[in-house]
Every structure is written in structure tokens, then in C-alpha cells.
Amino acid sequence: MDIAEMMDQFLRNYDPENKMSEKQKKIVAAAIEIFSEKGFAATSTSEIAKKAGVAEGTIFRHYKTKKDLLISIVMPTMIKYVAPFFAKNFSREIFENEHKSFESFLRKMIQNRFDFAKQNFPILKIYMQEVFYHEELQGEFRKVFLNHVYEKFKNIILHFQEKGEIVFLPPDTVIRMIISTVLGFMVNRFVISPEKVWNDEEEIEQTVQFLLNGLKR
């Protein structure tokens, strides 16, 4: 699926009353592609305009600044796409199902997040590149995590601690270790070394085993 198709799917599924014109769609799709390849700071509005096949002035009729264009991509993605998909669907698929063991929970969670990252890589790459520079993006991420994920994640950890499967560390510490490990794998896989020849199944299994053995009671 190319980025233009991804944008159309996003708008159909998560913004059914979308009023975005065809030119705006082209601008946003071009911006996603170039921001993903070069980063926000290194991208010019003239490059975006050329890629979208519009005059540069057209961009500024819709977006006052380049940052407005970035936020128009990332914030709706966080609020309308990542929030419901990452948080609500993720919670339903992972935290609201029973897991026979901590190992089966880990394996299903990591595979779920890997599939999501692979499918939505261009948009997520922009977010990962820019989240450290824009407080509004950090705030949205914290809100989504705390409102939809944190308590259910904590309950899973407490459950498997009570079963004696994982070490009695504070649940926040265990959550942080899991997120740091999984995020580190995803960043290397999709951002730092995407050109490397990866054996994804093997990497996922090694990540599961690393966490499983590190947290074993």
C-alpha cells in the first residue's frame, strides 16, 4: 500500500466526515512521504509542493507554517488513528483476552505491535522522529497511554506476578522494561537499520526470550 492509499484508508475509516480536498490529500500524502524519508527539519515546503504537484502557495493557503502541516498529519493520526487503533484495539486484542502464560502474552503483544508498525511505518516514523521536539505530541502520547493502556497493562503484570511467573519488581518497572525492549527492537528494525536483512520471526522470538528470561521469577 502506498502513502496516498494509506491516507485514503485513514480518512475513510477514521474521519468519515472528512472535508479535505483532493489537493489537501495530495499535500498531506507528499509531506508524509518526504518527512518520513528526510525528517521534518530537512524538508522544504517547495519539495512537498513539487511532490504533490501543486504550487507552493497552495500549501500556505491550507497550512500557515510547515509545523502546522506536520501537526495536521501527526495530531489527527494520534487522536483519530493511533489512539483508537493502538489503545482501544490493542487493549481489546491483548489486554482483554486471557493468556495461559506470561510467555504467550509477550509473544502475542510483540507480534501485534510489530504488525502494526510494519503496516503504518511512514506515519509512525514521522512521530518517532519528531516526538522529542514537540511537546504537544508528547502530551497526546501520555494521554493515550494513561487513559487506555496503563491500568490494563499493570493488571496483566500483577496477574502473572501472583501466578509466580515473573519477578516481584514494581509493575511500573516491569512495564518500562518491556516497552523499552520492544521499542528498541522496533526503532532498530524500522528506523535505524531498515536496509539490513532481517529475520523478523527470529528477532521477535529472541525479544520474547530476552524478556521472558530477564523477568523470570
PDB file of all heavy atoms in Angstrom, residues 140-151:
ATOM      1  N   GLU A 140      -0.020  14.109  23.871  1.00  0.00           N
ATOM      2  CA  GLU A 140      -1.009  13.196  23.312  1.00  0.00           C
ATOM      3  C   GLU A 140      -0.640  11.743  23.576  1.00  0.00           C
ATOM      4  O   GLU A 140      -1.497  10.919  23.906  1.00  0.00           O
ATOM      5  CB  GLU A 140      -1.152  13.425  21.798  1.00  0.00           C
ATOM      6  CG  GLU A 140      -1.944  14.665  21.434  1.00  0.00           C
ATOM      7  CD  GLU A 140      -3.353  14.629  21.987  1.00  0.00           C
ATOM      8  OE1 GLU A 140      -3.995  13.553  21.975  1.00  0.00           O
ATOM      9  OE2 GLU A 140      -3.820  15.669  22.460  1.00  0.00           O
ATOM     10  N   PHE A 141       0.656  11.427  23.456  1.00  0.00           N
ATOM     11  CA  PHE A 141       1.088  10.058  23.714  1.00  0.00           C
ATOM     12  C   PHE A 141       0.835   9.666  25.166  1.00  0.00           C
ATOM     13  O   PHE A 141       0.316   8.578  25.446  1.00  0.00           O
ATOM     14  CB  PHE A 141       2.569   9.890  23.380  1.00  0.00           C
ATOM     15  CG  PHE A 141       3.077   8.496  23.605  1.00  0.00           C
ATOM     16  CD1 PHE A 141       2.876   7.519  22.652  1.00  0.00           C
ATOM     17  CD2 PHE A 141       3.731   8.154  24.786  1.00  0.00           C
ATOM     18  CE1 PHE A 141       3.326   6.219  22.861  1.00  0.00           C
ATOM     19  CE2 PHE A 141       4.177   6.865  24.998  1.00  0.00           C
ATOM     20  CZ  PHE A 141       3.983   5.898  24.034  1.00  0.00           C
ATOM     21  N   ARG A 142       1.191  10.545  26.104  1.00  0.00           N
ATOM     22  CA  ARG A 142       0.964  10.256  27.524  1.00  0.00           C
ATOM     23  C   ARG A 142      -0.511  10.048  27.809  1.00  0.00           C
ATOM     24  O   ARG A 142      -0.901   9.129  28.545  1.00  0.00           O
ATOM     25  CB  ARG A 142       1.509  11.399  28.392  1.00  0.00           C
ATOM     26  CG  ARG A 142       3.012  11.390  28.573  1.00  0.00           C
ATOM     27  CD  ARG A 142       3.439  12.325  29.677  1.00  0.00           C
ATOM     28  NE  ARG A 142       3.116  13.709  29.379  1.00  0.00           N
ATOM     29  CZ  ARG A 142       3.942  14.541  28.745  1.00  0.00           C
ATOM     30  NH1 ARG A 142       5.127  14.115  28.339  1.00  0.00           N
ATOM     31  NH2 ARG A 142       3.583  15.788  28.516  1.00  0.00           N
ATOM     32  N   LYS A 143      -1.347  10.912  27.226  1.00  0.00           N
ATOM     33  CA  LYS A 143      -2.786  10.823  27.466  1.00  0.00           C
ATOM     34  C   LYS A 143      -3.344   9.495  26.969  1.00  0.00           C
ATOM     35  O   LYS A 143      -4.122   8.835  27.664  1.00  0.00           O
ATOM     36  CB  LYS A 143      -3.495  11.991  26.756  1.00  0.00           C
ATOM     37  CG  LYS A 143      -4.963  12.153  27.120  1.00  0.00           C
ATOM     38  CD  LYS A 143      -5.634  13.192  26.234  1.00  0.00           C
ATOM     39  CE  LYS A 143      -4.953  14.541  26.322  1.00  0.00           C
ATOM     40  NZ  LYS A 143      -5.642  15.550  25.461  1.00  0.00           N
ATOM     41  N   VAL A 144      -2.957   9.111  25.763  1.00  0.00           N
ATOM     42  CA  VAL A 144      -3.435   7.849  25.194  1.00  0.00           C
ATOM     43  C   VAL A 144      -2.992   6.676  26.062  1.00  0.00           C
ATOM     44  O   VAL A 144      -3.780   5.785  26.390  1.00  0.00           O
ATOM     45  CB  VAL A 144      -2.908   7.679  23.750  1.00  0.00           C
ATOM     46  CG1 VAL A 144      -3.116   6.254  23.263  1.00  0.00           C
ATOM     47  CG2 VAL A 144      -3.599   8.656  22.822  1.00  0.00           C
ATOM     48  N   PHE A 145      -1.718   6.674  26.436  1.00  0.00           N
ATOM     49  CA  PHE A 145      -1.179   5.552  27.214  1.00  0.00           C
ATOM     50  C   PHE A 145      -1.850   5.448  28.581  1.00  0.00           C
ATOM     51  O   PHE A 145      -2.275   4.363  28.995  1.00  0.00           O
ATOM     52  CB  PHE A 145       0.328   5.711  27.379  1.00  0.00           C
ATOM     53  CG  PHE A 145       0.979   4.556  28.105  1.00  0.00           C
ATOM     54  CD1 PHE A 145       1.225   3.360  27.443  1.00  0.00           C
ATOM     55  CD2 PHE A 145       1.320   4.665  29.442  1.00  0.00           C
ATOM     56  CE1 PHE A 145       1.802   2.287  28.102  1.00  0.00           C
ATOM     57  CE2 PHE A 145       1.900   3.594  30.118  1.00  0.00           C
ATOM     58  CZ  PHE A 145       2.149   2.408  29.450  1.00  0.00           C
ATOM     59  N   LEU A 146      -1.966   6.565  29.275  1.00  0.00           N
ATOM     60  CA  LEU A 146      -2.542   6.538  30.619  1.00  0.00           C
ATOM     61  C   LEU A 146      -4.034   6.217  30.603  1.00  0.00           C
ATOM     62  O   LEU A 146      -4.532   5.490  31.465  1.00  0.00           O
ATOM     63  CB  LEU A 146      -2.299   7.880  31.323  1.00  0.00           C
ATOM     64  CG  LEU A 146      -0.835   8.178  31.684  1.00  0.00           C
ATOM     65  CD1 LEU A 146      -0.698   9.595  32.222  1.00  0.00           C
ATOM     66  CD2 LEU A 146      -0.307   7.179  32.713  1.00  0.00           C
ATOM     67  N   ASN A 147      -4.745   6.743  29.627  1.00  0.00           N
ATOM     68  CA  ASN A 147      -6.202   6.555  29.596  1.00  0.00           C
ATOM     69  C   ASN A 147      -6.634   5.169  29.137  1.00  0.00           C
ATOM     70  O   ASN A 147      -7.669   4.663  29.571  1.00  0.00           O
ATOM     71  CB  ASN A 147      -6.855   7.608  28.690  1.00  0.00           C
ATOM     72  CG  ASN A 147      -6.817   8.989  29.296  1.00  0.00           C
ATOM     73  OD1 ASN A 147      -6.496   9.157  30.474  1.00  0.00           O
ATOM     74  ND2 ASN A 147      -7.124   9.996  28.499  1.00  0.00           N
ATOM     75  N   HIS A 148      -5.856   4.563  28.233  1.00  0.00           N
ATOM     76  CA  HIS A 148      -6.339   3.342  27.594  1.00  0.00           C
ATOM     77  C   HIS A 148      -5.491   2.100  27.832  1.00  0.00           C
ATOM     78  O   HIS A 148      -5.989   0.988  27.645  1.00  0.00           O
ATOM     79  CB  HIS A 148      -6.466   3.561  26.080  1.00  0.00           C
ATOM     80  CG  HIS A 148      -7.413   4.650  25.700  1.00  0.00           C
ATOM     81  ND1 HIS A 148      -8.778   4.518  25.824  1.00  0.00           N
ATOM     82  CD2 HIS A 148      -7.198   5.903  25.217  1.00  0.00           C
ATOM     83  CE1 HIS A 148      -9.368   5.634  25.430  1.00  0.00           C
ATOM     84  NE2 HIS A 148      -8.434   6.486  25.054  1.00  0.00           N
ATOM     85  N   VAL A 149      -4.230   2.271  28.205  1.00  0.00           N
ATOM     86  CA  VAL A 149      -3.326   1.124  28.242  1.00  0.00           C
ATOM     87  C   VAL A 149      -2.783   0.829  29.633  1.00  0.00           C
ATOM     88  O   VAL A 149      -2.738  -0.335  30.058  1.00  0.00           O
ATOM     89  CB  VAL A 149      -2.145   1.336  27.257  1.00  0.00           C
ATOM     90  CG1 VAL A 149      -1.132   0.199  27.353  1.00  0.00           C
ATOM     91  CG2 VAL A 149      -2.659   1.475  25.835  1.00  0.00           C
ATOM     92  N   TYR A 150      -2.392   1.863  30.359  1.00  0.00           N
ATOM     93  CA  TYR A 150      -1.577   1.674  31.568  1.00  0.00           C
ATOM     94  C   TYR A 150      -2.201   0.728  32.591  1.00  0.00           C
ATOM     95  O   TYR A 150      -1.566  -0.243  33.031  1.00  0.00           O
ATOM     96  CB  TYR A 150      -1.273   3.023  32.221  1.00  0.00           C
ATOM     97  CG  TYR A 150      -0.597   2.879  33.563  1.00  0.00           C
ATOM     98  CD1 TYR A 150       0.738   2.472  33.653  1.00  0.00           C
ATOM     99  CD2 TYR A 150      -1.299   3.097  34.753  1.00  0.00           C
ATOM    100  CE1 TYR A 150       1.351   2.306  34.882  1.00  0.00           C
ATOM    101  CE2 TYR A 150      -0.694   2.936  35.973  1.00  0.00           C
ATOM    102  CZ  TYR A 150       0.635   2.540  36.037  1.00  0.00           C
ATOM    103  OH  TYR A 150       1.233   2.364  37.257  1.00  0.00           O
ATOM    104  N   GLU A 151      -3.443   0.970  33.006  1.00  0.00           N
ATOM    105  CA  GLU A 151      -4.050   0.166  34.070  1.00  0.00           C
ATOM    106  C   GLU A 151      -4.196  -1.295  33.654  1.00  0.00           C
ATOM    107  O   GLU A 151      -3.968  -2.208  34.459  1.00  0.00           O
ATOM    108  CB  GLU A 151      -5.412   0.743  34.468  1.00  0.00           C
ATOM    109  CG  GLU A 151      -5.336   2.024  35.297  1.00  0.00           C
ATOM    110  CD  GLU A 151      -4.621   1.814  36.641  1.00  0.00           C
ATOM    111  OE1 GLU A 151      -4.721   0.709  37.207  1.00  0.00           O
ATOM    112  OE2 GLU A 151      -3.964   2.760  37.113  1.00  0.00           O
TER     113      GLU A 151
END
